[in-house]
Amino acid sequence: MRRRHHFHIDYRGHSVSATVETGLRPVVEVLVDGKETGHAAIRADRPMAVPIELPTDPPTPATVRATAGPDVPRCLLVVEGDPDQHVMAPRPY
C-alpha cells in the first residue's frame, strides 16, 4: 500500500518541502520555493541523498536526506557550509 508523507522547513527565507511516497517503489520528491528541484527512488530502508540548490546568489548547494522506513519516514536538510543538519518537520498531506 502506498502512502505519502510530507515534510517542510523554512531555511533562510526559502521554503523546502519533501514528499516521501512509501510502498513497493518508494520515491522522494523535493520542492524549493514551490519548484521541483529533485526526485529520486529510495532503495530499501537506506537513506537517499537528493542534491538540490537553494536559489541564492550564488546558488547554495544542499542535500535532502530521506529515509522511507522501516517505521515512519524522516527527512533532513543538509546545507553546504552549515555544520548543522536540519530536521524537516512532518506536515499533514
Side-chain angles (χ1 to χ4, degrees):
M1 180 162 94
R2 297 184 82 97
R3 286 193 63 196
R4 287 179 166 221
H5 302 269
H6 185 71
F7 301 88
H8 181 82
I9 190 169
D10 287 316
Y11 182 82
R12 296 188 180 174
H14 297 285
S15 170
V16 182
S17 299
T19 300
V20 178
E21 190 170 322
T22 60
L24 185 60
R25 294 185 185 133
V27 295
V28 61
E29 175 184 270
V30 181
L31 285 79
V32 176
D33 293 338
K35 296 179 182 178
E36 184 175 341
T37 58
H39 188 273
I42 299 175
R43 307 221 184 249
D45 291 333
R46 287 182 253 143
M48 169 58 71
V50 181
I52 61 169
E53 285 186 341
L54 297 176
T56 56
D57 190 22
T60 304
T63 303
V64 172
R65 291 190 184 157
T67 305
D71 298 319
V72 177
R74 299 174 296 285
C75 287
L76 295 171
L77 176 65
V78 181
V79 180
E80 189 175 287
D82 186 343
D84 297 324
Q85 296 182 0
H86 304 276
V87 176
M88 297 178 70
R91 303 283 178 170
Y93 192 76

